[in-house]
Amino acid sequence: RRNQQGREDGRPIVIIMVDSGSHVDPLPEPGTEYDVVVSGAGPVGLMIGCYMQSQGVRCVLIDPHLKNGDGSKAAVTMPRSFEMLERVGVGTAIADVGRPAGLARLGSNGGWLGKITGFTSARLSQYVPTAVGQNIVEAHLCARYLELGGKILRAARVTGVSEDDTAADEGGRCTVAVERYVYVRPPAQAPPLPPALAALTSTSLSARFAVGADGKQSMVRESLGLGYEGHEYAQSFFLADVELEEGVAEATGWERGLHAVIEADGAFLLFIRLQGNVFRTYYCAAGMEPEQCTQEFLKERWAAKVPGGFPLKITRFEAPSTFSVSCRLVTHYASPHGKVFLAGDAAHCHSPAGGQGMNTGLQDAANLGWKLAAVVKGEASAAKLLPTYEAERRPVAQWVLSTTDKTFAGITTASSPALAVARNWLIKTVLWLPPPGGRPPALFPD
């Protein structure tokens, strides 16, 4: 629960208090053994956990948050991700909650340039690109993981991982250091924990394998001493979820799909309709300071840049948040002795262009999950099977980073008015040529 108290400067202090909605267990005794220990209980960590539990592999997830995330950056789930999610029993349920992203509308310089359609033609999969928040994906995966008997150690974080010199096939193990730690997003303050939870403040777990699914600031990656090569972007993102009055979206042409506005100064806006009348809104620009990012500032951007403006009959405006983006790839996906692995943002991160972040991570988890389960159950050799994880997933990450980096640079690089006019004319021509419903084209037969 959130309790706001006044501060001398007039800004609120948000205090997060533990209640019945947050379940936190005492830390296990040192030396407690598991088959697999996963750092991180976001979508990637939960996906791996579901694979483990569904195959009877003893697994534990460690996460510093008190509960599942309420907000999210990702907003679109791709068909291949749904197929992987369905393997653990949640793909169809998540797709049913979401909204098919059947249309993308592109605008610039005060007008709409055209639409891209055809995304919901299910030619290669029973699923289609679907607008559904990362928080929804996470909630379904968490419920499934717990249903399968999985355990999450919340209000705790991994501080280090080491492995012995013995090969995994010969009984080698990892040691995972864990400490009691509660993370809440600033300016919120972490709550004091009950004495029973604070009695043991650190411990170490023994596991056959460990996985770092703990994001860009991965402690697992850091403890392995692996490089995270790439660069930061000068731009930052301002994100907020808004809910419109019933019927407003349909009446104003915002009924479905994705709506993007690009400008000559390198700024862009993106609107994605999620569940019901909720839109996830993004504003990206260079030089933004966090204190600028208020509801009023965002509404000003909408009025100034969105053709015809974005509907302002809003019934709910979630607290805005800001985040920066990078383009980075880890030097290796696994530890030297092959018992510790990285997945998701711990292994790679990139701009949101193309909506591939969570999707790439989920597919990392699906690839690694079944392989770890097969090795733990004695159905495959670790030395032969597990190296294929990096061999198969690293090229995918390299391709995603390359394409998103070029796309993001093309969108956010400021151009002269003349070049912007030429670009918009070219986009409008390209979007006008194919027949409606024919974009993207039907390259393959059913």
Side-chain angles (χ1 to χ4, degrees), residues 256-315:
R256 63 191 179 102
L258 290 71
H259 310 261
V261 179
I262 56 176
E263 292 296 333
D265 61 4
F268 75 87
L269 299 98
L270 178 64
F271 304 83
I272 303 174
R273 188 171 183 182
L274 301 176
Q275 301 75 236
N277 296 307
V278 176
F279 280 78
R280 177 148 301 146
T281 69
Y282 303 81
Y283 175 64
C284 175
M288 277 196 303
E289 298 296 333
E291 53 269 20
Q292 283 182 269
C293 298
T294 63
Q295 183 177 154
E296 292 71 26
F297 172 80
L298 189 57
K299 288 180 177 180
E300 288 174 4
R301 298 297 88 195
W302 293 346
K305 295 182 177 294
V306 177
F310 182 69
L312 293 180
K313 293 182 178 181
I314 296 171
T315 59

Side-chain angles (χ1 to χ4, degrees), residues 178-201:
V178 180
E179 71 174 6
R180 178 65 74 198
Y181 177 81
V182 180
Y183 174 82
V184 293
R185 184 183 294 276
Q189 297 178 355
L193 294 173
L197 297 178
L200 184 63
T201 58

Side-chain angles (χ1 to χ4, degrees), residues 150-330:
K151 182 172 185 178
I152 304 175
L153 291 178
R154 293 203 177 275
R157 66 177 176 183
V158 170
T159 57
V161 180
S162 60
E163 59 180 350
D164 59 30
D165 296 334
T166 305
D169 287 323
E170 298 173 3
R173 298 189 71 83
C174 311
T175 299
V176 182
V178 180
E179 71 174 6
R180 178 65 74 198
Y181 177 81
V182 180
Y183 174 82
V184 293
R185 184 183 294 276
Q189 297 178 355
L193 294 173
L197 297 178
L200 184 63
T201 58
S202 64
T203 189
S204 61
L205 308 178
S206 175
R208 289 194 61 182
F209 298 100
V211 180
D214 44 353
K216 288 169 58 177
Q217 309 301 325
S218 172
M219 190 66 73
V220 174
R221 185 186 65 239
E222 183 177 325
S223 68
L224 294 176
L226 297 175
Y228 200 40
E229 299 172 349
H231 58 271
E232 302 291 317
Y233 292 110
Q235 293 79 9
S236 55
F237 279 80
F238 179 17
L239 178 152
D241 282 359
V242 298
E243 185 172 8
L244 302 183
E245 291 181 8
E246 190 68 38
V248 169
E250 289 75 10
T252 55
W254 292 79
E255 67 275 11
R256 63 191 179 102
L258 290 71
H259 310 261
V261 179
I262 56 176
E263 292 296 333
D265 61 4
F268 75 87
L269 299 98
L270 178 64
F271 304 83
I272 303 174
R273 188 171 183 182
L274 301 176
Q275 301 75 236
N277 296 307
V278 176
F279 280 78
R280 177 148 301 146
T281 69
Y282 303 81
Y283 175 64
C284 175
M288 277 196 303
E289 298 296 333
E291 53 269 20
Q292 283 182 269
C293 298
T294 63
Q295 183 177 154
E296 292 71 26
F297 172 80
L298 189 57
K299 288 180 177 180
E300 288 174 4
R301 298 297 88 195
W302 293 346
K305 295 182 177 294
V306 177
F310 182 69
L312 293 180
K313 293 182 178 181
I314 296 171
T315 59
R316 180 171 59 88
F317 195 110
E318 289 290 342
S321 62
T322 60
F323 62 94
S324 58
V325 290
S326 314
C327 182
R328 295 186 180 276
L329 180 64
V330 72

